[in-house]
Amino acid sequence: MPPVRRLVVEADGGSRGNPGPAGYGAVVIDPATGETLAEAAEYIGVATNNVAEYRGLIAGLEAAKALFPDASDGSFQVRVRMDSKLVVEQMSGRWKIKHPDMKPLAARAAAVLPPALVTYEWIPRAQNKHADRLANEAMDAGRRGEQWEPSSSTADLDTPRGGLPPVQGPPGDAAAGAAKARAALAGARAAAPAHTQAPAAPTGTRAAPASAPAPQVGWGAAPDLGAPATFVLLRHGETALTPEKRFSGSGGTDPQLSATGRDQAARAAEHFVARGTVQAIVSSPLRRCRETAEAVAARLGLDVTVEDGLRETDFGAWEGLTFAEVRERHGEDLTTWLASPDAAPTGGGESFAEVAERVSAARDRLVSRYAGRTVLLVTHVTPIKTLVRLALEAPPQSMFRMELSAASISTVAYYADGNASVRVLNDTSHLR
């Protein structure tokens, strides 16, 4: 019986605009030695992050298959490593594929190799730099009106990896798995020589060159990326449930602002009038947020746009209960929920993983819509903490270590290269 041939595929994809100019990158690796066996990258025109990520997966699987076309089912295994939780969870069969654009791509990926031969693993973006760089090279080529060429790549293919590291850390989010255009790497690409190509590489791929220069890293190399899309995140004012610290999500009574909450909304409005920086207002559909947003909008002379993706978590049977009451009635479920972002509250609520998928999709839509502008997002504790967590690339457990007071202000800026910067967290100075 022939020995089992094991390969690792690392893949990534990204969109500069989401949707916007998009590309993917994929690399095939020998897991025993860390040797790069093949690469693939392509500029695919205007697409979303998720589409580009799936295209990268397909290209990586096809490159792996092309390396060993005669391998039998029993002698061939592929381990896919990606920083897109969406793709990993959907291809592993743990998440349903709901978006119509994703279904044919997932089917195409599943058809490249028998599903029994392929396993999927989430990795942090920092461990997916090779595929990330290829995706950015493809997007850079598209910006020049060209397609990616193997001879122009500067990805480090000859660095010994000494085998691949085990999975570390909790799962990430879908949209943040997109390839990011790194300013420092762009500088390195411009200065780097082309690599010598090895013969007989599969179509659209290349083999490892003799050497590759180390990328230039540092703030000094960053180009002018223009004004970011700046999200000013305002938590709604108090309701009758807020001071009692009761679970109040999107599956409960949808309470209105209390007298204290209306005063907080008025103070927030005065603050934004004085600042004069807000150019648009977007609100969760829940009443407490719409009332807070409308108080600000009335002073600024702006309209309020409702974004359903900004609604609070559905806490299921926990709605209206205190933490202590949930502990008494649903103790086992609460313990599981605190330990895992994939656990949902009792009675069909939403898990933090589901909320993160929804919020990150809303984020991407809004970043594209309000590029270069400052927009006030009036929303809830979980969406705000999720946006901050994703911007920091922090684990889900970090959400339990953030304080967000009623009517507090947090700020996150999103730049054209896909990076984010947390500028403010839980500012309540306007309420004093």
Side-chain angles (χ1 to χ4, degrees):
M1 184 175 180
V4 176
R5 181 72 202 197
R6 291 183 171 86
L7 299 175
V8 166
V9 169
E10 293 178 353
D12 203 356
S15 168
R16 295 172 179 172
N18 199 32
Y24 65 74
V27 56
V28 184
I29 303 164
D30 183 331
T33 65
E35 177 188 3
T36 296
L37 303 177
E39 287 180 323
E42 183 183 5
Y43 172 68
I44 60 174
V46 176
T48 65
N49 286 332
N50 292 338
V51 167
E53 287 163 346
Y54 261 110
R55 290 287 300 274
L57 168 63
I58 293 167
L61 291 172
E62 290 177 341
K65 183 178 181 180
L67 286 172
F68 302 97
D70 298 327
S72 64
D73 288 3
S75 63
F76 193 63
Q77 292 182 0
V78 175
R79 174 182 170 197
V80 174
R81 293 158 47 90
M82 298 181 69
D83 61 72
S84 169
K85 180 173 173 60
L86 177 78
V87 175
V88 168
E89 294 298 314
Q90 288 182 343
M91 291 303 298
S92 298
R94 292 185 290 269
W95 284 7
K96 292 182 179 179
I97 303 174
K98 301 177 182 178
H99 198 288
D101 291 346
M102 301 300 107
K103 292 181 179 179
L105 291 171
R108 182 177 165 189
V112 176
L113 292 168
L117 306 185
V118 185
T119 59
Y120 291 87
E121 172 185 315
W122 177 87
I123 57 174
R125 190 175 63 186
Q127 294 181 20
N128 204 26
K129 291 180 179 179
H130 192 146
D132 175 85
R133 288 191 64 186
L134 291 171
N136 280 306
E137 288 176 0
M139 286 185 278
D140 288 343
R143 185 173 55 193
R144 299 190 299 268
E146 304 170 355
Q147 276 292 355
W148 178 83
E149 292 291 339
S151 61
S152 65
S153 180
T154 62
D156 296 330
L157 302 184
D158 65 329
T159 303
R161 302 184 186 215
L164 293 169
V167 182
Q168 295 180 351
D173 70 295
K180 307 303 181 184
R182 300 288 188 184
L185 296 182
R189 281 195 295 270
H195 293 311
T196 301
Q197 300 305 304
T203 303
T205 67
R206 70 185 179 101
S211 64
Q216 302 285 324
V217 181
W219 291 103
D224 181 5
L225 297 174
T230 302
F231 289 179
V232 180
L233 308 171
L234 175 63
R235 185 189 170 195
H236 61 81
E238 284 190 9
T239 72
L241 300 179
T242 307
E244 297 181 7
K245 298 187 181 300
R246 295 184 178 275
F247 283 94
S248 181
S250 57
T253 59
D254 196 11
Q256 64 184 1
L257 294 179
S258 63
T260 298
R262 290 192 293 272
D263 179 68
Q264 291 169 334
R267 289 173 183 262
E270 292 297 329
H271 169 78
F272 292 120
V273 168
R275 292 292 299 274
T277 55
V278 171
Q279 298 169 287
I281 301 176
V282 179
S283 174
S284 155
L286 299 184
R287 183 175 179 178
R288 52 198 182 272
C289 286
R290 288 188 286 105
E291 288 180 348
T292 303
E294 287 161 3
V296 178
R299 292 301 313 275
L300 297 181
L302 297 172
D303 295 326
V304 176
T305 300
V306 173
E307 167 58 62
D308 186 65
L310 296 179
R311 69 184 186 276
E312 182 57 289
T313 306
D314 182 345
F315 291 111
W318 303 352
E319 294 279 358
L321 302 180
T322 65
F323 190 90
E325 289 169 342
V326 173
R327 172 68 74 188
E328 180 181 354
R329 302 179 192 183
H330 309 287
E332 185 174 340
D333 289 349
L334 179 63
T335 298
T336 303
W337 180 73
L338 292 171
S340 171
D342 296 312
T346 310
E350 286 181 291
S351 69
F352 280 151
E354 290 171 323
V355 174
E357 184 177 7
R358 164 166 58 83
V359 169
S360 60
R363 174 203 61 194
D364 291 345
R365 290 192 296 270
L366 295 172
V367 166
S368 178
R369 186 184 308 164
Y370 296 104
R373 304 175 69 191
T374 298
V375 55
L376 177 67
L377 305 188
V378 185
T379 180
H380 309 263
V381 169
T382 308
I384 293 174
K385 288 184 177 183
T386 298
L387 289 168
V388 170
R389 175 183 78 77
L390 297 179
L392 295 173
E393 298 185 353
Q397 290 85 346
S398 64
M399 294 173 60
F400 294 118
R401 301 185 181 184
M402 299 182 204
E403 177 69 25
L404 277 179
S405 303
S408 64
I409 295 171
S410 303
T411 305
V412 181
Y414 298 88
Y415 292 88
D417 66 347
N419 288 306
S421 173
V422 177
R423 297 181 172 181
V424 178
L425 179 66
N426 196 40
D427 179 15
T428 58
S429 59
H430 56 288
L431 302 177
R432 297 194 288 270

